[in-house]
Amino acid sequence: MTDEIFKEYEEKLPKLIIDEIKANLPEKADAAKVRKILEAVHAEYEKSKLDAGECVGLLSAQSIGEQGTQATLDTFHFSGVSEMNVTMGLPRIIEILDARKTISTPMMEIYLNAPYNQKENVKKQALLVKEIKLKDVATEFLVNIADMIIKVDIDEQKLKDLDLTLANLSKTLSKAMKSLKIKQDTVSIIAKLEDKDANLNSLYKLKEKLKETHISGIKGVTQVLPVKRGSEYIVLTAGSNLKAVLALEWVDKERTTSNDIYEIAATLGIEAARETIIDELLKVIKAQGLKIDIRHLMIISDTMCVSGAIKGITRYGVVNEKSSVLARASFETPIKHIMRASLVGEEDKLHSVIENVMLNQVVPLGTGMPVLKAKKKE
Amino acid sequence: MADVYLNNKFVGTVENPQEFRQSLIEERRKGAIDKNMNVYHNADSNEVWIENSKGRVRRPLIVVKYGQPLLTDKHIQQLQKNEINWSDLVNQGVAEYLDAMEEENALVAFYEHELTKDHTHLEVSPIAMLGLISSLVPFSNHAPAARINAGSKTQKQAQGIYAANYAVRMDMDVNILHTPQKPIVNTIMHELSDYNNHPAGQNVVVAIMSYKGYNMEDAIIINKGSVDRGFARSTYYRPSLAEELRYAGGLTDEISVPDKEIKGYRSEKDYRLLEADGIIYPEAQIAESDVIIGKTSPPRFLSGADEYSLTSNVRRESSLAAAHGEQGIIDFVTVTESEEGNKLVQVRVRDQRIPEIGDKFTSRHGQKGVVGLIVSESDMPFTSSGIVPDLIFSPHSLPTRMTISHLLELLAGKVGALSGRYVDGTTFSSEPEEKLRQELLSLGFRENGVETMYNGETGEQMEARIFIGDMYYMKLKHMVANKIHSRARGPIQLLTRQPTEGRAKEGGLRLGEMEKDTFVSHGASMLLKERFDSDKTLVPVCENCGMFAIHNEYKKKSYCPMCGDNVEISYVEIAYAFKLMLDELKALGIYPKLMLRTKY
Ligand SMILES: [Zn+2]
């Protein structure tokens, strides 16, 4: 009985809404009631549809822009408290919308598989992720100018904590630093510079380079922090390397994520990147206590990702993709656009706002949409 | 082992960085090393940084040893007797200058009684952390830093007496406050900086309340009676100058009453105020477009051939006249010579400025606002003792800005006014609030400064008691008379045919990029088009080649210069600026083709 009514509305309402109604329907709702509910839902659905000629893009820009003026320009610091220092606020929004290749605070949220996500295991797993450099396990770097030698004293306890030995440490080092002769002492490593014209300065530079040499863990992850999320423990990291993390078998591949949009696009694809843009924007907006409808963010994310690659809201990004020469030229670098257009004989259809304002023509939006149509008598 | 850097360059290592730093400082205090050297030891990275480059901001501190300042009573006596001065103290190593880096190694005591044996320095005075104008804000230790900043910034714009010889000076944009007063609530800096000899504000009675909503958004209400009695009255001076410039061929400008034959002659009425020498007389009342200095210049474009011919020898008008909306009285006229020896005439116009709606006022706490309404004295609220406030300040300006100093000044000002004395509001060492409250109580008022007030229009008693007292208020140099501007129609630019820009040129009010967006997001396309119609033109376009055609009105004929007259020519309405752009593209060798299509 009710199924027939639902079938009737299948074309009028999206499947998602119908499923939701079905799931929430009271047991003893009769046909008349069901019809009434569907009618009300349908009316609401039609009401929330956009009118033809509504300029959604500009409304999104205004909806975010107006709220943005309320946002604090500063980033809040969670000094000392469980969370990490992440760029938030306006700087982060700019970073996302500009689609910056290198972001100021890349970070990951690593979810762990069942046995590892408990309190007693999470610390050990976290340490496996953290990138260890030579300076982290060394106590002192001593420079001997006379023999052109750098002596690195190693903290054995730290080495032990990381499941490393002096032997394989010197092995990794000699692999990484080809110009050095690495020798192993009881509690130290001696690196000899074999270059004949080496001087104090080059030795000094080498010392700095040696400090930064990668030893273990995942490259780029500078900090790790186990945090409780609901009933499980997850690992927050400063620095992001999603591809390497997802390769670890004890990581939950479905929920682990990064805030580096380009990394997401490279490892998980453009659809994931689109979701990440929305999520990251929402995070900032929520933290600032602003109320911006998610659909505004969706349309922005869509325009940024629609070409298949991430395009920022900059002159090199989406503005470059605009179909109108005049619109592009009016934004930035007009000479470049006019030259290119004149070389290929580009055509401007005057479909958008700025071109029509430039020509003093009616913008095809709102009251500019209706057009009089009359049939000519043959 | 610590690395040592001299001016950001690695120079070597030292075994004991602490000792090394200390010895450098000792040598500096002795004078063996230059006083400009600063040294910093970074314990985290174990590095010593020595700086003696220029461009570092440094501040003075008194040196402390074993918990005792090196500055002794003997020094102070000598200073008072003028036997020694500050640089002697620096040379003796009693005081020294630290830069931002060395400050990191210093432990500075605020007051002498706070000194312990760990301290390395003592502050000269707590107010030394403030600048000259910041320290003119009373009770500024009771307000957020941002407000003190704003307060000192607006104080710089206050009207006062900028120079004692202003009457014989020819400065641009001068405002002179008629009756400046010393502030009742002052700081030590008012005395030290000679502020009291050239004050820039007036002490007024301020009530903190709202008044019919005319003081919302930071506006203030002022009393018409106070205005009539001369509150915030000032004079605005603006000089005009004309010089008899010399040109090639022995031609010069001439300051005189212009001849009627001249090119660009205004009208006889405009020249009526000029005397025989072509200069206006002092105390003449001028209004818009009245000529102040009559001047003629030689013809503009003189080619070699007609330099001496009579036909083109028409001089052109280049007089100086009162600008659009300007009025006043001629104050002062000088005739001198410029550096090049040309005749130079300077005329100063004076205009009395009585406070009006829109003039900007501020207290010393960054609480600036414009006059929202001038209320006649009889309609102003009054206290039970008959006091009528000069100014009404909105209570809504206080919670978010947290300028407690503003409230304290009001209270202190009340005490000062009632007891006939000045109140010290110096930052960190002001008279305590509790003492001021007690004094106010002993003067027969409520100790918290509130009073029962009555509605000036109905005489009804107000339900709430109103916080009322005396404050120092300043009239800022931003006055509506210099800024008011509107336009319905007016001049356009020659090149683009768009309205001119700016008040001086009677320009239009720009409907900018973001304002345009609001039209679009409302879907008001037709309204948007109408707003940008100011430079619309009708142009003939050849449908064949898509370029502008020619319309010959005399022959009532249109033709295309390229395709001839046997083509379809349509008239299109476009912005003149766009037509101009297409012309410029053509000049660049780009062919912009218009493809016409019926829109409706
Ligand atoms: Zn043609």
Side-chain angles (χ1 to χ4, degrees), chain B residues 541-549 559-564 567-569 591:
Chain B
V541 175
C542 168
E543 297 238 24
N544 184 39
C545 64
M547 296 257 246
F548 297 128
Y559 63 95
C560 173
M562 292 205 299
C563 319
V567 283
E568 185 91 14
I569 284 167
Y591 173 17

Side-chain angles (χ1 to χ4, degrees), chain B residues 350-560:
Chain B
R350 130 171 72 89
D351 187 21
Q352 182 176 240
R353 294 287 166 81
I354 299 167
E356 55 180 322
I357 291 177
D359 281 356
K360 197 174 178 186
F361 285 79
T362 185
S363 75
R364 286 175 288 179
H365 314 275
Q367 291 283 12
K368 53 179 187 276
V370 294
V371 176
L373 188 69
I374 298 176
V375 180
S376 78
E377 188 153 25
S378 54
D379 289 343
M380 286 291 273
F382 53 90
T383 67
S384 40
S385 54
I387 296 291
V388 181
D390 298 302
L391 194 147
I392 298 175
F393 176 82
S394 170
H396 296 286
S397 308
L398 289 164
T400 50
R401 288 165 209 170
M402 301 181 284
T403 49
I404 306 306
S405 55
H406 187 97
L407 302 171
L408 286 172
E409 193 199 331
L410 197 87
L411 192 84
K414 193 170 184 174
V415 172
L418 288 165
S419 56
R421 66 181 184 94
Y422 293 104
V423 180
D424 183 14
T426 306
T427 311
F428 301 117
S429 58
S430 53
E431 291 182 29
E433 183 192 348
E434 203 47 48
K435 197 189 133 228
L436 291 169
R437 280 168 175 261
Q438 285 311 315
E439 196 174 343
L440 192 60
L441 192 65
S442 68
L443 287 161
F445 286 82
R446 281 195 192 83
E447 52 100 39
N448 58 4
V450 300
E451 283 181 47
T452 306
M453 286 188 86
Y454 299 87
N455 184 322
E457 290 175 330
T458 65
E460 283 172 301
Q461 184 183 323
M462 288 176 184
E463 273 183 41
R465 296 205 177 100
I466 306 296
F467 188 47
I468 182 170
D470 281 68
M471 273 196 93
Y472 196 60
Y473 253 84
M474 286 162 288
K475 185 190 190 185
L476 302 184
K477 64 180 181 186
H478 308 284
M479 293 176 290
V480 255
N482 296 331
K483 296 189 171 179
I484 191 168
H485 175 50
S486 63
R487 158 174 170 150
R489 69 193 79 171
I492 55 163
Q493 280 165 16
L494 203 65
L495 182 70
T496 59
R497 296 197 188 173
Q498 283 171 354
T500 50
E501 206 180 319
R503 188 177 109 102
K505 281 175 273 178
E506 221 196 317
L509 298 158
R510 183 184 197 85
L511 185 101
E513 192 83 12
M514 294 177 88
E515 290 78 10
K516 176 213 74 184
D517 287 347
T518 63
F519 281 73
V520 176
S521 59
H522 275 88
S525 301
M526 304 305 264
L527 185 61
L528 179 72
K529 180 181 178 296
E530 196 174 278
R531 276 271 14 189
F532 285 124
D533 256 356
S534 57
D535 65 337
K536 70 172 175 193
T537 41
L538 208 59
V539 288
V541 175
C542 168
E543 297 238 24
N544 184 39
C545 64
M547 296 257 246
F548 297 128
I550 293 165
H551 175 70
N552 191 326
E553 184 61 31
Y554 179 63
K555 286 184 186 161
K556 295 266 181 262
K557 233 173 80 180
S558 300
Y559 63 95
C560 173

Side-chain angles (χ1 to χ4, degrees), chain B residues 151-450:
Chain B
S152 44
K153 251 188 243 159
T154 45
Q155 279 203 69
K156 293 179 201 165
Q157 303 171 10
Q159 296 185 13
I161 296 174
Y162 72 106
N165 64 342
Y166 71 90
V168 291
R169 292 173 65 109
M170 282 289 186
D171 294 309
M172 210 50 213
D173 266 323
V174 169
N175 288 290
I176 300 289
L177 188 67
H178 286 188
T179 48
Q181 298 173 346
K182 291 193 219 174
I184 294 175
V185 183
N186 56 26
T187 72
I188 190 170
M189 202 51 87
H190 284 92
E191 210 49 64
L192 295 175
S193 69
D194 243 7
Y195 183 91
N196 287 337
N197 287 330
H198 55 90
Q202 289 163 327
N203 296 294
V204 291
V205 177
V206 175
I208 299 186
M209 58 181 286
S210 59
Y211 188 89
K212 297 181 179 180
Y214 279 99
N215 57 352
M216 62 185 188
E217 293 290 330
D218 280 346
I220 54 164
I221 310 286
I222 53 175
N223 182 340
K224 180 84 184 344
S226 313
V227 172
D228 292 344
R229 276 176 242 120
F231 166 58
R233 197 165 289 208
S234 63
T235 301
Y236 177 70
Y237 294 96
R238 203 183 67 86
S240 322
L241 93 203
E243 189 181 347
E244 278 190 350
L245 289 173
R246 284 173 220 274
Y247 302 91
L251 296 164
T252 62
D253 288 337
E254 193 190 325
I255 294 174
S256 62
V257 183
D259 248 15
K260 275 192 180 167
E261 279 74 58
I262 237 159
K263 207 164 123 195
Y265 188 78
R266 289 162 185 258
S267 80
E268 225 160 304
K269 182 182 159 276
D270 290 340
Y271 298 107
R272 75 186 189 284
L273 297 168
L274 299 186
E275 296 196 310
D277 58 359
I279 308 166
I280 200 162
Y281 59 92
E283 298 305 315
Q285 178 90 41
I286 60 154
E288 189 176 318
S289 85
D290 285 344
V291 173
I292 297 167
I293 305 167
K295 196 176 87 176
T296 56
S297 301
R300 209 183 296 238
F301 305 107
L302 269 189
S303 57
D306 53 16
E307 201 169 320
Y308 299 102
S309 73
L310 287 168
T311 46
S312 65
N313 196 8
V314 185
R315 295 178 66 82
R316 98 198 127 76
E317 146 80 24
S318 58
S319 298
L320 238 88
H324 176 70
E326 192 186 346
Q327 51 134 22
I329 293 162
I330 304 300
D331 189 57
F332 192 53
V333 178
T334 51
V335 181
T336 53
E337 261 183 12
S338 72
E339 273 171 49
E340 288 85 45
N342 301 326
K343 187 181 179 186
L344 180 72
V345 178
Q346 286 175 296
V347 177
R348 195 170 66 200
V349 182
R350 130 171 72 89
D351 187 21
Q352 182 176 240
R353 294 287 166 81
I354 299 167
E356 55 180 322
I357 291 177
D359 281 356
K360 197 174 178 186
F361 285 79
T362 185
S363 75
R364 286 175 288 179
H365 314 275
Q367 291 283 12
K368 53 179 187 276
V370 294
V371 176
L373 188 69
I374 298 176
V375 180
S376 78
E377 188 153 25
S378 54
D379 289 343
M380 286 291 273
F382 53 90
T383 67
S384 40
S385 54
I387 296 291
V388 181
D390 298 302
L391 194 147
I392 298 175
F393 176 82
S394 170
H396 296 286
S397 308
L398 289 164
T400 50
R401 288 165 209 170
M402 301 181 284
T403 49
I404 306 306
S405 55
H406 187 97
L407 302 171
L408 286 172
E409 193 199 331
L410 197 87
L411 192 84
K414 193 170 184 174
V415 172
L418 288 165
S419 56
R421 66 181 184 94
Y422 293 104
V423 180
D424 183 14
T426 306
T427 311
F428 301 117
S429 58
S430 53
E431 291 182 29
E433 183 192 348
E434 203 47 48
K435 197 189 133 228
L436 291 169
R437 280 168 175 261
Q438 285 311 315
E439 196 174 343
L440 192 60
L441 192 65
S442 68
L443 287 161
F445 286 82
R446 281 195 192 83
E447 52 100 39
N448 58 4
V450 300

